[in-house]
Structures are given as structure tokens and as C-alpha cells.
Amino acid sequence: MTRLTRRRRRPGAPPPEGFDRRLLAPMILGSVLNPINSSMLAVALIPIGRAFDAPPSQTAWLVAGLYLATAVGQPVVGRLVDTFGPRRLYLAGTTLVGLAGLLGTLAPHLWVLVVSRVLLGFGTSAAYPASMSLLRSEADRTGRQSPSGVLATLSICNQTISVAGPALGGLLISAAGWHWIFAINVPLSLACLVLGALWLPRTVPQARTAGTDVVGMLLFAGSLTAFVLFLMHPAVGRWYLPVLGLVGGAAFVRRELGDREPFLDLRVLGGNTPLLATYARQLLTYTASYAYLYGLSQWFQDGRGLSAPQAGLLVLPMSVTAICVTALTGRRRQVRGKLVVGAVAQCLGCGGLLLLRDESPLWLLVLVSALLGLPQGLNGLANQNALYAQADPARLGASAGLLRTFMYLGALLASAASALFFGEGATSAGLHRLAWPLLGVATVFLLVCAGDRSLARVGREETVSKPSGSVWGGCQVR
């Protein structure tokens, strides 16, 4: 825990009674670093592959590298924020983002770009836990909960950036080349550093947290990496990779269950079957979601023959639909209906992918893109609401953190699927090969939602007293 030092203010000026609005600028700018990098890359994979003569099976590591780093970095940085305060970690993380952007801009080789993306993953992991720590500190200082509008503002900015990212990336690539989607991180990092240094409060650690469970982190990262390496290039001769992943995963689970301060608190899963089902749904949701984003963006350029700016514009209907659906349904606490509708829409969207051909008309591309936005606007938000109703209140923080981990695992599976099914190119045949397993994922998701009777209780009056922090102002907080 930390306490805020007294802010420097004009003589005689009283401290703000409510949330300190000066914190909004650095919080917003820091929070958009991850979504802007993820969404811009969606339309840059094909140009980067052409520049380095690399197939999608190799450029997929640009996606996997970031999410491997984020899956490990988010819990680590969250723990460090509790120890050293949000200011230091925010400034360190945004500095790393700038250095990663500079490295990517000057990269002479694809694998240097992958290293840059890994550094971006670690750097962008700081903003979310730093912002949550600042909100908690402000609530303690003011003696009341921080206004819901703050989290709504953060959510809207993140979703807006996700919508604008592909189009912005396409324009940058068209005007100056793919290097600029990395170079843009340099001025963004400098802006974060200036705003953070000016407005983020200094903190004085009152008590050091226990160890950071380095062994657990290494086991987690090693196990994930082994599985992803195999999924990217599955072959009988690489049998040792999933074996290493299973052994590392078993060792990780054993250590985390026996550690007083685990890297990931797996004890939240004990005896809570509904919560386990929510984590499974989260994994399935984001496996499909990220596969749509990156797979369809690559096919627009490689299979359909569109330019990067055109591909960016065709991704817009997906994101706009997701935002509209979130805004319309976000205030409803009931989740089962939303999940079932989202699952059906996911199945229909996968069927839509099977209809796409090299000569498909523009209206069909827009329709399929918009249809795929429906499950994105329903499923992730409903999973968050379910978690807040199902989790043990004493371990709500750990449960919510684990939900984000399953989201990143879904992103990793999506990048592996793109690498596997696109092979040497994002052709129409490759898109159809990708669509069939995604249809299987959507079908399993539908069965899990329809068969989980506990979801019917989520959102009733008896669950309203549970924390409902996943929805603020009808917006999803990510």
C-alpha cells in the first residue's frame, strides 16, 4: 500500500474535493498505448511481410510477441505498482514504449521488430495497474468512490482508438511506410512522460510487498512459449514442445497453489465451477475476436487485393458495431441472453467468412465485418459482469486479473491460428481454413453458454450488491 504525498498547489488554494481531473490526461494517454499498437498492426502485417519477404507464419510473431509479454508483464507490473507506487512504473513503462518504438522504426530485420513488440508489451503493461492504483488512492483521499465517469472516459477512449487504429495505421503506411506505426510511439511516449512528470503524485511506499515470485513468472512464460512455438509450426518432430509446456504448466500450477504470494492466484478457481466456465468463455471469446481482427485484415490485403488504408476502413464496421452494442446493452446486468445472442452471432460470422472470395463485392465485406462486431460488443462485457457476480469478494482483484490473463491467452491462440492456417499467404483458401476451427470455437462457446444454468442468476436483485465494476456508464472497462 502507498500513501499520496501532498500535492504542490498555489498558496491558499484548497485541495480538490473530488477526483483530481489533472490525472485524466496521463491516464488516458497511457491507457491507449496498447490498443493503438494492436489495432494499427492489424493492417501492417502484410506490408511488413512484403518488406522482409516473410510469410504470415513469421509475421504472426509480431502479434504473439506482444501478448506473451503482456500476459506476463501485466501481473508483474501490477505487483510493482503496489510496491513502488504508480508514478515510477508509469514513467518507466512509457519510457520503454518510446525505446521500443525507436527500435521498431530502425529495425533492419523482422526479428528485431518482434523484439520491439515484446518491449512494447512490457511497456504498455504499466498504464492499467497504475490507473487503477490512482483511482483507489483518489477514493481514499476524497473519502468516496471515484466517479463512474472516469472509468467511462477511459473505456470510451480505448474503444475509440481501437476503432480508429486500423484506419490510422493504413494512412500512415500509405503516406510514409509501415515504419511509422512504430515511430508514432516516440511522440506518444514523450507526451506521457511530460504529463506523468507534471501531474502524477509522488508516492511513499509504506510497506514492501512480499517477493515477486520470479520462479512462477519464468514457469508461466516458459510453458506459454513452448505451446505457442508448437502451435505456430505443428509437426511430429516437434513433439517435445507440448511436452515441455505440460511439464512447465504442471510445475507452475503446483508452485502457485503452494505459494503465499503467487504470481497468479490460482486459488480463486477452487470449487467455483461457474467462475471456471467464465474463464473458459473468456478464452474462447478472445480467440475468435483476435482471429477476426488480424485474419480478416490480412485477407483484405492479400486475398482481396486491397490497400492498407482500404483494409483499415473495412475493419471499422466491426469496431463501430461493437461499440454501439456495448452502449445499448451495457447497463443490463443480465448476461445469459447477451452471451447466447453473442454466440449465435459468432457462428453466423464464421459462416460469413466462408462466403468470402477474391471477387466478393464490397457490400458483403462490410456486412461480414459489421456482423463480427456483434459478439465483440456482447461477449467480453458479459463475461466481466459474470465474473463480478461469481468471484469471491475477498479475491476479486486476483479473479479480475486472471480474467485478463485468459484474454491474452486467447490472443496468443488467435495469432498461432493465423500463422498455421494462412501458411505462406492470407489467401481466400487460407481464410476458409481459419474459419472452420473458429466455427468450432463458436459452437463450443454457444454450448457452454446455453448449458450454464448459473448464468440465469447473474443480474438478479440478489446479485446487485456484488461489485459491478465492469460496467461504468454503459461502457466496458478493459
Side-chain angles (χ1 to χ4, degrees):
M1 292 291 295
T2 60
R3 62 180 175 85
L4 295 178
T5 59
R6 188 178 298 276
R7 298 177 190 275
R8 187 176 297 176
R9 60 181 187 273
R10 296 192 308 273
E17 295 182 358
F19 179 82
D20 189 347
R21 298 288 170 176
R22 295 176 300 179
L23 299 177
L24 275 177
M27 288 170 63
I28 289 173
L29 196 55
S31 70
V32 303
L33 292 176
N34 192 290
I36 196 171
N37 277 283
S38 297
S39 56
M40 286 195 303
L41 185 73
V43 296
L45 291 172
I46 295 299
I48 290 173
R50 291 170 180 168
F52 291 112
D53 194 24
S57 58
Q58 292 182 12
T59 57
W61 278 105
L62 295 170
V63 180
L66 183 139
Y67 287 110
L68 271 172
T70 308
V72 177
Q74 192 87 58
V76 173
V77 175
R79 187 173 292 228
L80 293 176
V81 165
D82 290 336
T83 303
F84 299 105
R87 178 188 171 94
R88 295 181 185 179
L89 272 298
Y90 180 94
L91 296 177
T94 51
T95 298
L96 187 57
V97 168
L99 294 175
L102 185 61
L103 178 64
T105 304
L106 304 175
H109 193 276
L110 175 66
W111 299 109
V112 177
L113 276 185
V114 174
V115 172
S116 171
R117 291 281 293 179
V118 170
L119 294 177
L120 278 172
F122 284 117
T124 58
S125 294
Y128 179 79
S131 295
M132 294 304 102
S133 177
L134 288 168
L135 288 175
R136 185 182 64 239
S137 297
E138 284 295 281
D140 292 341
R141 180 182 64 81
T142 61
R144 58 190 181 188
Q145 290 188 347
S146 296
S148 61
V150 176
L151 285 176
T153 300
L154 292 175
S155 179
I156 290 171
C157 290
N158 275 261
Q159 294 193 24
T160 301
I161 287 296
S162 296
V163 170
L168 175 61
L171 290 175
L172 288 174
I173 293 168
S174 177
W178 61 263
H179 298 83
W180 278 87
I181 71 165
F182 291 87
I184 197 173
N185 286 291
V186 177
L188 287 175
S189 171
L190 290 174
C192 286
L193 288 172
V194 171
L195 292 173
L198 286 175
W199 302 124
L200 295 187
R202 298 182 183 276
T203 57
V204 179
Q206 291 182 326
R208 300 286 181 180
T209 61
T212 53
D213 189 16
V214 174
V215 175
M217 298 173 197
L218 292 176
L219 288 172
F220 180 74
S223 179
L224 270 185
T225 303
F227 280 121
V228 173
L229 283 170
F230 179 78
L231 291 173
M232 291 286 198
H233 303 284
V236 176
R238 295 159 63 88
W239 60 269
Y240 57 90
L241 288 173
V243 172
L244 287 175
L246 288 172
V247 172
F252 168 73
V253 170
R254 181 176 181 180
R255 178 177 177 82
E256 299 307 280
L257 292 177
D259 197 313
R260 291 184 178 180
E261 294 290 336
F263 165 60
L264 290 177
D265 191 355
L266 301 181
R267 289 166 292 195
V268 302
L269 305 177
N272 195 335
T273 302
L275 186 60
L276 282 170
T278 294
Y279 288 136
R281 289 194 307 272
Q282 184 79 342
L283 177 67
L284 296 170
T285 293
Y286 283 96
T287 298
S289 177
Y290 282 105
Y292 297 150
L293 176 63
Y294 291 109
L296 201 56
S297 298
Q298 291 181 82
W299 177 81
F300 282 149
Q301 298 171 74
D302 216 8
R304 187 60 173 76
L306 302 176
S307 66
Q310 290 171 330
L313 291 175
L314 281 175
V315 175
L316 281 177
M318 185 189 307
S319 300
V320 171
T321 302
I323 291 177
C324 292
V325 169
T326 299
L328 290 173
T329 65
R331 294 183 183 275
R332 292 182 58 85
R333 297 180 183 273
Q334 293 81 4
V335 302
R336 190 177 189 183
K338 288 190 283 189
L339 287 169
V340 171
V341 172
V344 172
Q346 206 168 61
C347 293
L348 293 175
C350 293
L353 294 179
L354 293 171
L355 298 176
L356 299 180
R357 300 288 188 274
D358 292 354
E359 65 280 1
S360 293
L362 184 62
W363 65 265
L364 182 59
L365 306 185
V366 174
L367 179 63
V368 172
S369 180
L371 179 60
L372 292 174
L374 285 174
Q376 293 198 48
L378 291 169
N379 296 340
L381 179 60
N383 286 335
Q384 285 196 97
N385 282 340
L387 176 131
Y388 278 89
Q390 296 163 343
D392 179 358
R395 290 179 172 173
L396 187 57
S399 300
L402 201 54
L403 188 72
R404 292 177 66 86
T405 299
F406 276 92
M407 179 183 78
Y408 301 136
L409 293 178
L412 288 172
L413 288 176
S415 64
S418 295
L420 175 62
F421 294 106
F422 280 162
E424 295 299 314
T427 62
S428 294
L431 182 66
H432 298 160
R433 288 194 298 268
L434 176 65
W436 283 112
L438 289 181
L439 183 59
V441 168
T443 302
V444 172
F445 184 85
L446 176 59
L447 293 175
V448 171
C449 296
D452 188 353
R453 295 183 179 180
S454 68
L455 291 175
R457 297 192 296 270
V458 177
R460 291 181 179 177
E461 289 302 318
E462 60 264 26
T463 65
V464 171
S465 60
K466 301 276 286 185
S468 57
S470 59
V471 182
W472 297 81
C475 297
Q476 183 178 3
V477 179
R478 292 186 180 181

